[in-house]
Amino acid sequence: MDSRKPLIAGNWKMFGRSGDLAEMAATLDAVGPAAAAVDVAFCPPATLLAAAAERLRGRLARVGAQDVSPLPDGAHTGDLSAGMLAEAGASFCIVGHSERRKDHGESDATVAAKATAAARAGLAPIVCVGETLAEREAGRALAVVEAQLAGSIPEDAPDALVVAYEPVWAIGTGLTPTTAEIAAMHGHIRALLGARFGRRAGGMRVLYGGSVKPGNAGEIFAVPSVDGALVGGASLKAADFSAIILSHPAARG
Ligand code: PGA
């Protein structure tokens, strides 16, 4: 079955002040009615979540958080619970981005706990996985991602689960794998999800992320088993993000 609606999500990372929220409306204005054919999400920093959700009320896009505590509300200074993010208006929550795995030492087990916390609050977790350049050059990309998936996706993963395959060496570098490499990885991930979740895997989306730009989005979206993209730098500017969305075959009708 291949009835998955494409998802194109913008990961603003630690960029964005209130003035930048206008880029969201400008993106959607540029995309026009084609936005109904894909799911569009903006993941701004947590400081802008509620304002972003407010601005998108009644529009064809949703907001997502970039991280979440694995714990419920409690004495955890500086952290944000999934319930708080849901109340702020989030529908998605990125977990296990490689920048958090590297900068904050997040393990697969931590990522899985975060995905569970997000799902319990009704947020669709976007679980990020991806190999380093050294791992790819050693021929271990598929095995590394397979192990990350096994450890980072909880048993109770919701049907709304999203996986984002983001090769670490492709993030923010302008480098991307070949379409054949993306096809091989996405095919592998889809097979693993199917083996683990059976029919439920049919609705789980697998995104590609890492240097997606207007110039390469079309060929990446054409790769079998690519259900959309997680876009970093190019999601910050309406001209680029709208061009990426419009290059999806579904958005072109
Ligand atoms: P990039 O980032 O598009 O800027 O490479 C992608 C990501 O980190 O999600």
Side-chain angles (χ1 to χ4, degrees), residues 11 13 97-99 128 166 170-174 209-213 230-234:
N11 171 14
K13 310 194 180 188
H97 190 282
S98 64
E99 288 153 13
C128 301
E166 300 204 304
I171 294 174
T173 58
S211 295
V212 176
K213 309 282 180 214
L230 183 57
V231 184

Side-chain angles (χ1 to χ4, degrees), residues 21-250:
L21 291 175
E23 295 297 320
M24 299 189 308
T27 299
L28 297 172
D29 290 346
V31 172
V38 297
D39 284 338
V40 175
F42 296 89
C43 304
T47 48
L48 296 179
L49 260 185
E54 182 61 33
R55 295 246 196 149
L56 291 175
R57 196 185 294 264
R59 303 221 50 170
L60 290 167
R62 289 184 286 167
V63 298
Q66 298 177 13
D67 182 39
V68 64
S69 169
L71 304 170
D73 294 13
H76 308 293
T77 304
D79 288 343
L80 297 171
S81 71
M84 292 171 179
L85 300 172
E87 188 189 43
S91 302
F92 295 95
C93 185
I94 298 170
V95 293
H97 190 282
S98 64
E99 288 153 13
R100 295 206 60 85
R101 289 178 185 265
K102 178 167 162 289
D103 299 347
H104 299 270
E106 291 189 5
S107 65
D108 286 340
T110 300
V111 176
K114 290 184 171 198
T116 292
R120 287 198 179 137
L123 307 178
I126 302 176
V127 178
C128 301
V129 294
E131 82 285 357
T132 64
L133 188 57
E135 288 164 344
R136 175 158 287 276
E137 286 176 349
R140 294 177 47 226
L142 293 180
V144 165
V145 168
E146 181 167 341
Q148 285 179 333
L149 283 174
S152 310
I153 296 181
E155 282 313 318
D156 57 359
D159 294 5
L161 175 82
V162 180
V163 174
Y165 167 55
E166 300 204 304
V168 177
W169 52 274
I171 294 174
T173 58
L175 303 172
T176 52
T178 64
T179 52
E181 288 168 336
I182 295 173
M185 184 63 80
H186 278 244
H188 190 56
I189 293 172
R190 177 112 329 265
L192 292 168
L193 290 175
R196 188 156 162 206
F197 295 106
R199 285 172 53 87
R200 293 211 300 125
M204 296 174 175
R205 292 178 285 197
V206 183
L207 312 183
Y208 170 78
S211 295
V212 176
K213 309 282 180 214
N216 62 17
E219 65 177 17
I220 291 171
F221 290 144
V223 174
S225 300
V226 170
D227 301 314
L230 183 57
V231 184
S235 71
L236 291 162
K237 288 286 165 233
D240 284 347
F241 198 38
S242 61
I244 288 170
I245 296 165
L246 284 168
S247 66
H248 197 287

